[in-house]
Amino acid sequence: MKKRNDSKWTPPKNYKDYFNASSDDEFKAKHPVGYVFFVMFGIVVLLLPSIIFGVLVGTENGWVTLGFIGGFIFGIGLFNFVAIIIKQYLGHWVSIISFLIGGTMMLISWFLCR
């Protein structure tokens, strides 16, 4: 049984349990088809910012690596919202910090690649 956090800003006390392989078993048992969709959707959301960044900026410059990493970090913030479906949301701060760090890295990379 997952404990609910009163504050949506901070991670719940049992957030480390979310990183175990068995943490999704309850959701997977209730929704076997939905779980497959959820996993595919989560992977797309995680990787999409990096892919879009690569398409928009190109790969001619070595600084694009910084943008790819930033896009992945930004994707972690997006994936955190997808995790609401299985009640494994890590809090607003995780998303905000991921958006700020990832967005800043992509912006710096974009300026350096121009």
Side-chain angles (χ1 to χ4, degrees):
M1 177 109 188
K2 294 177 176 67
K3 288 186 178 182
R4 291 190 179 239
N5 189 9
D6 292 338
S7 171
K8 295 295 181 194
W9 285 95
T10 58
K13 292 184 186 344
N14 65 333
Y15 75 93
K16 291 180 184 177
D17 296 341
Y18 296 169
F19 297 97
N20 292 334
S22 63
S23 65
D24 301 341
D25 288 346
E26 184 180 332
F27 184 83
K28 193 186 314 183
K30 289 182 182 177
H31 311 283
V33 176
Y35 181 75
V36 173
F37 172 75
F38 165 74
V39 169
M40 290 188 305
F41 182 62
I43 291 171
V44 167
V45 167
L46 183 65
L47 299 177
L48 193 61
S50 292
I51 293 168
I52 291 173
F53 182 82
V55 168
L56 294 176
V57 173
T59 58
E60 300 88 32
N61 194 321
W63 284 106
V64 76
T65 305
L66 179 67
F68 282 132
I69 295 169
F72 186 80
I73 293 171
F74 193 91
I76 291 170
L78 293 175
F79 187 85
N80 193 32
F81 289 120
V82 175
I84 291 172
I85 296 168
I86 60 170
K87 297 176 179 50
Q88 292 186 4
Y89 184 59
L90 293 174
H92 299 328
W93 283 120
V94 170
S95 293
I96 291 169
I97 290 170
S98 296
F99 293 151
L100 290 174
I101 292 172
T104 301
M105 290 172 72
M106 288 188 291
L107 185 65
I108 291 170
S109 175
W110 183 74
F111 281 128
L112 291 172
C113 290
R114 294 277 161 192

Coordinates of all heavy atoms in Angstrom, one line a residue, residues 52-109:
I52 N 13.3 16.4 -30.2 CA 12.9 17.7 -30.7 C 14.1 18.6 -30.8 O 14.3 19.3 -31.7 CB 11.7 18.3 -30.0 CG1 10.5 17.4 -30.2 CG2 11.5 19.7 -30.4 CD1 9.3 17.8 -29.4
F53 N 14.8 18.7 -29.7 CA 16.0 19.5 -29.6 C 17.0 19.2 -30.7 O 17.5 20.1 -31.4 CB 16.7 19.5 -28.3 CG 17.9 20.4 -28.2 CD1 17.7 21.7 -27.9 CD2 19.2 19.9 -28.4 CE1 18.8 22.5 -27.8 CE2 20.3 20.7 -28.3 CZ 20.1 22.1 -28.0
G54 N 17.3 17.9 -30.9 CA 18.2 17.5 -32.0 C 17.7 17.8 -33.4 O 18.5 18.2 -34.2
V55 N 16.4 17.7 -33.6 CA 15.9 18.1 -34.9 C 16.0 19.6 -35.1 O 16.3 20.0 -36.2 CB 14.4 17.6 -35.0 CG1 13.7 18.2 -36.2 CG2 14.3 16.1 -35.0
L56 N 15.7 20.4 -34.1 CA 15.7 21.8 -34.3 C 17.1 22.4 -34.4 O 17.3 23.3 -35.1 CB 14.9 22.5 -33.1 CG 13.4 22.2 -33.1 CD1 12.8 22.9 -31.8 CD2 12.7 22.7 -34.3
V57 N 18.0 21.9 -33.6 CA 19.4 22.4 -33.6 C 20.3 21.7 -34.6 O 21.2 22.4 -35.1 CB 19.9 22.4 -32.1 CG1 21.4 22.8 -32.1 CG2 19.1 23.2 -31.2
G58 N 20.2 20.5 -34.8 CA 21.1 19.7 -35.6 C 22.2 19.1 -34.8 O 22.2 19.2 -33.6
T59 N 23.1 18.4 -35.5 CA 24.2 17.7 -34.7 C 25.5 18.1 -35.2 O 26.5 17.3 -35.1 CB 23.9 16.2 -34.8 OG1 24.0 15.8 -36.2 CG2 22.7 15.8 -34.2
E60 N 25.7 19.3 -35.8 CA 27.0 19.6 -36.4 C 28.0 20.1 -35.3 O 29.2 20.0 -35.5 CB 26.9 20.8 -37.4 CG 26.0 20.5 -38.6 CD 24.5 20.8 -38.3 OE1 24.2 21.8 -37.5 OE2 23.7 20.1 -38.9
N61 N 27.5 20.5 -34.2 CA 28.4 21.1 -33.1 C 28.4 20.2 -32.0 O 27.5 19.5 -31.6 CB 27.8 22.4 -32.7 CG 28.7 23.3 -31.9 OD1 29.4 22.8 -31.1 ND2 28.7 24.6 -32.1
G62 N 29.6 20.1 -31.3 CA 29.7 19.3 -30.1 C 28.9 19.7 -28.9 O 28.6 18.9 -28.0
W63 N 28.5 21.0 -28.9 CA 27.7 21.5 -27.8 C 26.3 20.9 -27.8 O 25.6 21.1 -26.8 CB 27.7 23.0 -27.8 CG 29.0 23.6 -27.3 CD1 29.9 24.2 -28.0 CD2 29.4 23.6 -25.9 NE1 31.0 24.6 -27.3 CE2 30.7 24.3 -25.9 CE3 28.9 23.2 -24.7 CZ2 31.4 24.5 -24.8 CZ3 29.7 23.4 -23.6 CH2 30.9 24.0 -23.6
V64 N 25.9 20.3 -28.8 CA 24.5 19.7 -28.9 C 24.4 18.6 -27.9 O 23.2 18.4 -27.4 CB 24.2 19.2 -30.3 CG1 24.9 17.9 -30.6 CG2 22.7 19.1 -30.6
T65 N 25.4 18.0 -27.4 CA 25.4 17.0 -26.4 C 24.8 17.6 -25.1 O 24.0 16.9 -24.4 CB 26.8 16.4 -26.1 OG1 27.3 15.9 -27.3 CG2 26.7 15.3 -25.1
L66 N 25.2 18.8 -24.8 CA 24.6 19.5 -23.6 C 23.1 19.6 -23.7 O 22.4 19.4 -22.8 CB 25.3 20.9 -23.4 CG 24.8 21.7 -22.3 CD1 25.2 21.1 -21.0 CD2 25.4 23.1 -22.4
G67 N 22.7 20.0 -24.9 CA 21.2 20.1 -25.2 C 20.5 18.8 -25.1 O 19.4 18.7 -24.6
F68 N 21.1 17.7 -25.6 CA 20.5 16.4 -25.5 C 20.3 15.9 -24.0 O 19.3 15.4 -23.6 CB 21.3 15.3 -26.2 CG 21.1 15.3 -27.7 CD1 22.2 15.2 -28.5 CD2 19.9 15.3 -28.3 CE1 22.1 15.2 -29.9 CE2 19.7 15.3 -29.7 CZ 20.8 15.3 -30.5
I69 N 21.4 16.2 -23.2 CA 21.3 15.9 -21.8 C 20.2 16.7 -21.1 O 19.4 16.3 -20.3 CB 22.7 16.0 -21.1 CG1 23.6 15.0 -21.7 CG2 22.5 15.9 -19.6 CD1 25.1 15.2 -21.3
G70 N 20.2 18.0 -21.5 CA 19.2 18.9 -20.9 C 17.8 18.5 -21.3 O 16.9 18.5 -20.5
G71 N 17.6 18.0 -22.6 CA 16.3 17.5 -23.0 C 15.9 16.3 -22.2 O 14.7 16.1 -21.9
F72 N 16.8 15.4 -21.9 CA 16.5 14.3 -21.1 C 16.1 14.7 -19.7 O 15.1 14.1 -19.2 CB 17.7 13.3 -21.1 CG 17.4 12.0 -20.4 CD1 16.7 11.0 -21.1 CD2 17.8 11.8 -19.1 CE1 16.4 9.8 -20.5 CE2 17.5 10.6 -18.4 CZ 16.8 9.6 -19.1
I73 N 16.8 15.6 -19.1 CA 16.4 16.1 -17.8 C 15.1 16.8 -17.8 O 14.2 16.6 -16.9 CB 17.5 17.0 -17.2 CG1 18.8 16.2 -17.0 CG2 17.1 17.7 -15.9 CD1 20.0 17.1 -16.6
F74 N 14.8 17.5 -18.8 CA 13.5 18.1 -19.0 C 12.4 17.0 -19.1 O 11.3 17.1 -18.6 CB 13.5 19.0 -20.3 CG 12.3 19.9 -20.4 CD1 12.3 21.2 -19.9 CD2 11.1 19.5 -21.0 CE1 11.2 22.0 -20.0 CE2 10.0 20.3 -21.1 CZ 10.1 21.6 -20.6
G75 N 12.7 15.9 -19.8 CA 11.8 14.8 -20.0 C 11.5 14.1 -18.6 O 10.4 13.6 -18.4
I76 N 12.5 14.2 -17.7 CA 12.2 13.6 -16.4 C 11.1 14.4 -15.7 O 10.2 13.8 -15.1 CB 13.5 13.6 -15.5 CG1 14.5 12.6 -16.1 CG2 13.2 13.3 -14.1 CD1 15.9 12.7 -15.5
G77 N 11.1 15.7 -15.9 CA 10.0 16.5 -15.3 C 8.7 16.1 -15.9 O 7.7 16.0 -15.3
L78 N 8.7 15.9 -17.3 CA 7.4 15.5 -17.9 C 7.0 14.1 -17.5 O 5.8 13.9 -17.3 CB 7.6 15.5 -19.4 CG 7.8 16.9 -20.1 CD1 8.1 16.7 -21.6 CD2 6.6 17.8 -19.9
F79 N 7.9 13.2 -17.4 CA 7.6 11.8 -16.9 C 7.0 11.8 -15.5 O 6.2 11.0 -15.2 CB 8.9 10.9 -17.0 CG 8.5 9.5 -16.7 CD1 8.1 8.7 -17.7 CD2 8.7 9.0 -15.5 CE1 7.8 7.4 -17.5 CE2 8.4 7.6 -15.2 CZ 7.9 6.8 -16.2
N80 N 7.5 12.8 -14.7 CA 6.9 12.9 -13.4 C 5.4 13.1 -13.4 O 4.7 12.6 -12.6 CB 7.6 14.0 -12.6 CG 7.3 13.9 -11.1 OD1 7.2 12.9 -10.5 ND2 7.3 15.1 -10.5
F81 N 4.9 13.8 -14.4 CA 3.5 14.0 -14.5 C 2.8 12.8 -15.0 O 1.7 12.5 -14.6 CB 3.2 15.2 -15.5 CG 3.5 16.5 -14.9 CD1 4.4 17.4 -15.5 CD2 2.9 17.0 -13.7 CE1 4.7 18.6 -15.0 CE2 3.2 18.2 -13.2 CZ 4.1 19.0 -13.8
V82 N 3.5 12.0 -15.9 CA 2.9 10.7 -16.3 C 2.8 9.8 -15.1 O 1.9 9.0 -15.0 CB 3.8 10.1 -17.4 CG1 3.3 8.7 -17.8 CG2 3.8 11.0 -18.6
A83 N 3.7 9.9 -14.2 CA 3.7 9.0 -13.0 C 2.5 9.2 -12.1 O 2.2 8.4 -11.2 CB 5.0 9.2 -12.2
I84 N 1.8 10.3 -12.3 CA 0.6 10.5 -11.5 C -0.4 9.4 -11.7 O -1.1 9.0 -10.8 CB 0.0 11.9 -11.9 CG1 0.9 13.0 -11.4 CG2 -1.4 12.1 -11.3 CD1 0.5 14.4 -11.9
I85 N -0.4 8.8 -12.9 CA -1.4 7.8 -13.3 C -1.2 6.6 -12.3 O -2.3 6.0 -11.9 CB -1.1 7.3 -14.7 CG1 -1.4 8.5 -15.7 CG2 -2.0 6.1 -15.1 CD1 -1.0 8.2 -17.1
I86 N 0.0 6.2 -12.0 CA 0.1 5.1 -11.0 C 0.5 5.5 -9.6 O 1.0 4.8 -8.8 CB 1.2 4.1 -11.6 CG1 2.6 4.8 -11.7 CG2 0.8 3.5 -12.8 CD1 3.7 3.8 -12.0
K87 N 0.2 6.8 -9.3 CA 0.3 7.3 -8.0 C 1.7 7.3 -7.5 O 2.0 6.9 -6.3 CB -0.7 6.7 -7.0 CG -2.1 6.9 -7.4 CD -3.1 6.2 -6.5 CE -4.5 6.5 -6.8 NZ -4.9 6.3 -8.2
Q88 N 2.7 7.6 -8.4 CA 4.1 7.7 -8.0 C 4.7 9.0 -8.3 O 5.8 9.2 -8.6 CB 4.9 6.6 -8.7 CG 4.5 5.2 -8.3 CD 5.4 4.1 -8.9 OE1 6.3 4.4 -9.6 NE2 5.1 2.9 -8.6
Y89 N 3.9 10.1 -8.1 CA 4.3 11.4 -8.4 C 5.3 11.9 -7.3 O 5.1 11.7 -6.1 CB 3.1 12.3 -8.3 CG 3.3 13.8 -8.7 CD1 3.9 14.1 -9.9 CD2 3.0 14.8 -7.8 CE1 4.1 15.4 -10.2 CE2 3.2 16.1 -8.1 CZ 3.8 16.4 -9.3 OH 4.0 17.8 -9.7
L90 N 6.4 12.4 -7.8 CA 7.5 12.8 -6.9 C 7.4 14.3 -6.4 O 8.3 14.7 -5.6 CB 8.8 12.6 -7.5 CG 9.2 11.2 -7.8 CD1 10.5 11.1 -8.6 CD2 9.3 10.4 -6.5
G91 N 6.4 15.0 -6.7 CA 6.2 16.3 -6.2 C 6.5 17.4 -7.3 O 7.2 17.2 -8.2
H92 N 5.9 18.6 -7.0 CA 6.1 19.7 -7.9 C 7.5 20.1 -8.1 O 8.0 20.5 -9.1 CB 5.2 20.9 -7.5 CG 3.8 20.6 -7.4 ND1 3.1 19.8 -8.3 CD2 2.8 21.2 -6.6 CE1 1.8 19.8 -8.0 NE2 1.6 20.6 -7.0
W93 N 8.3 20.1 -6.9 CA 9.7 20.5 -7.0 C 10.5 19.7 -7.9 O 11.4 20.2 -8.6 CB 10.3 20.6 -5.6 CG 9.8 21.7 -4.8 CD1 9.1 21.7 -3.6 CD2 10.0 23.1 -5.1 NE1 8.9 22.9 -3.1 CE2 9.4 23.9 -4.0 CE3 10.5 23.8 -6.1 CZ2 9.3 25.2 -4.0 CZ3 10.5 25.2 -6.1 CH2 9.9 25.9 -5.1
V94 N 10.3 18.4 -8.0 CA 11.1 17.6 -8.9 C 10.8 18.0 -10.3 O 11.8 18.1 -11.1 CB 10.7 16.1 -8.7 CG1 11.3 15.2 -9.8 CG2 11.1 15.6 -7.4
S95 N 9.6 18.3 -10.7 CA 9.2 18.7 -12.0 C 9.8 20.1 -12.3 O 10.5 20.3 -13.4 CB 7.7 18.7 -12.3 OG 7.2 17.4 -12.2
I96 N 9.6 21.0 -11.4 CA 10.1 22.4 -11.6 C 11.6 22.4 -11.8 O 12.1 23.1 -12.7 CB 9.6 23.3 -10.4 CG1 8.1 23.5 -10.5 CG2 10.4 24.6 -10.5 CD1 7.5 24.2 -9.3
I97 N 12.3 21.7 -10.9 CA 13.8 21.7 -11.0 C 14.3 21.0 -12.3 O 15.2 21.5 -12.9 CB 14.4 21.0 -9.7 CG1 14.2 21.9 -8.5 CG2 15.9 20.7 -9.9 CD1 14.5 21.3 -7.2
S98 N 13.6 20.0 -12.7 CA 13.9 19.3 -13.9 C 13.7 20.2 -15.1 O 14.5 20.3 -16.0 CB 13.1 18.0 -14.1 OG 13.4 17.1 -13.1
F99 N 12.6 21.0 -15.1 CA 12.3 21.9 -16.2 C 13.3 23.0 -16.2 O 13.8 23.4 -17.3 CB 10.9 22.5 -16.1 CG 9.8 21.5 -16.2 CD1 8.6 21.7 -15.6 CD2 9.9 20.4 -17.1 CE1 7.5 20.8 -15.7 CE2 8.9 19.5 -17.2 CZ 7.7 19.7 -16.6
L100 N 13.7 23.6 -15.1 CA 14.6 24.7 -15.0 C 16.0 24.2 -15.5 O 16.7 24.9 -16.3 CB 14.7 25.3 -13.6 CG 13.5 26.1 -13.2 CD1 13.6 26.5 -11.8 CD2 13.3 27.3 -14.1
I101 N 16.5 23.1 -14.9 CA 17.9 22.7 -15.2 C 17.9 22.2 -16.7 O 18.8 22.6 -17.5 CB 18.3 21.5 -14.3 CG1 18.5 22.1 -12.9 CG2 19.6 20.9 -14.8 CD1 18.8 21.0 -11.8
G102 N 17.0 21.4 -17.1 CA 17.0 20.9 -18.5 C 16.8 22.0 -19.5 O 17.5 22.1 -20.5
G103 N 15.8 22.9 -19.2 CA 15.6 24.0 -20.1 C 16.8 25.0 -20.2 O 17.2 25.4 -21.3
T104 N 17.5 25.2 -19.1 CA 18.7 26.1 -19.1 C 19.8 25.4 -19.9 O 20.5 26.1 -20.7 CB 19.2 26.3 -17.7 OG1 18.1 27.0 -17.0 CG2 20.4 27.2 -17.7
M105 N 20.0 24.1 -19.8 CA 21.0 23.4 -20.5 C 20.7 23.4 -22.0 O 21.6 23.6 -22.8 CB 21.1 21.9 -20.0 CG 21.7 21.8 -18.6 SD 21.6 20.1 -18.0 CE 22.9 19.3 -19.0
M106 N 19.4 23.2 -22.4 CA 19.1 23.3 -23.8 C 19.3 24.7 -24.4 O 19.7 24.9 -25.5 CB 17.6 22.8 -24.0 CG 17.5 21.3 -23.9 SD 15.8 20.8 -24.3 CE 14.8 21.5 -23.1
L107 N 18.9 25.7 -23.6 CA 19.1 27.1 -24.0 C 20.5 27.5 -24.2 O 20.9 28.1 -25.3 CB 18.4 28.1 -23.0 CG 18.4 29.5 -23.4 CD1 17.5 29.7 -24.6 CD2 17.9 30.4 -22.2
I108 N 21.4 27.1 -23.3 CA 22.8 27.4 -23.4 C 23.4 26.6 -24.6 O 24.1 27.2 -25.4 CB 23.6 26.9 -22.1 CG1 23.2 27.9 -21.0 CG2 25.1 26.9 -22.3 CD1 23.7 27.4 -19.6
S109 N 23.0 25.4 -24.8 CA 23.4 24.6 -26.0 C 23.0 25.2 -27.3 O 23.7 25.3 -28.2 CB 22.9 23.2 -25.9 OG 23.3 22.4 -27.0

